[in-house]
């Protein structure tokens, strides 16, 4: 299944779940079942009912997340503080 091609068939709640979880490599079985129902696709899940996302799918979902502003563009650098500094 290609998420990009099926995006408009997905329920807004499903789209939001994907946007809220842009780093997901494997979709949980409940989300896989919902997507299969919404798109009319066959069972794309593995033996545990999970569906692996292709790199193209992950990039598409991450781009959608960036559009909506739910993922920060870049994390600020972590600063270490030494207790012995004045």
């Amino acid at each position: 299944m290609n998420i990009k091609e099926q995006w408009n068939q997905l329920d807004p709640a499903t789209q939001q779940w994907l946007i809220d979880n842009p780093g997901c490599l494997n979709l949980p079985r409940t989300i896989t079942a919902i997507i299969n129902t919404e798109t009319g696709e066959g069972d794309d899940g593995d033996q545990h009912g999970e569906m692996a996302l292709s790199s193209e799918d992950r990039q598409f979902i991450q781009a959608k997340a960036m559009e909506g502003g739910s993922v920060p563009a870049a994390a600020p650098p972590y600063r270490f503080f030494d207790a012995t500094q004045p």
Side-chain angles (χ1 to χ4, degrees), residues 5-80:
E5 292 175 5
Q6 305 292 339
W7 186 257
N8 292 328
Q9 294 181 353
L10 299 178
D11 183 73
T14 306
Q15 291 176 351
Q16 189 60 48
W17 189 94
L18 292 168
I19 288 170
D20 290 342
N21 298 280
C24 193
L25 298 176
N26 292 319
L27 296 179
R29 64 181 176 204
T30 53
I31 299 298
T32 300
I34 291 169
I35 290 174
N36 286 337
T37 301
E38 292 173 351
T39 61
E41 293 284 324
D43 185 17
D44 288 337
D46 63 9
Q47 65 184 0
H48 302 290
E50 297 178 342
M51 181 174 63
L53 291 175
S54 68
S55 63
E56 180 182 333
D57 286 337
R58 289 191 308 271
Q59 289 172 357
F60 174 76
I61 293 167
Q62 289 168 358
K64 285 291 189 182
M66 293 295 284
E67 282 177 15
S70 33
V71 176
Y78 186 80
R79 294 185 58 195
F80 290 96

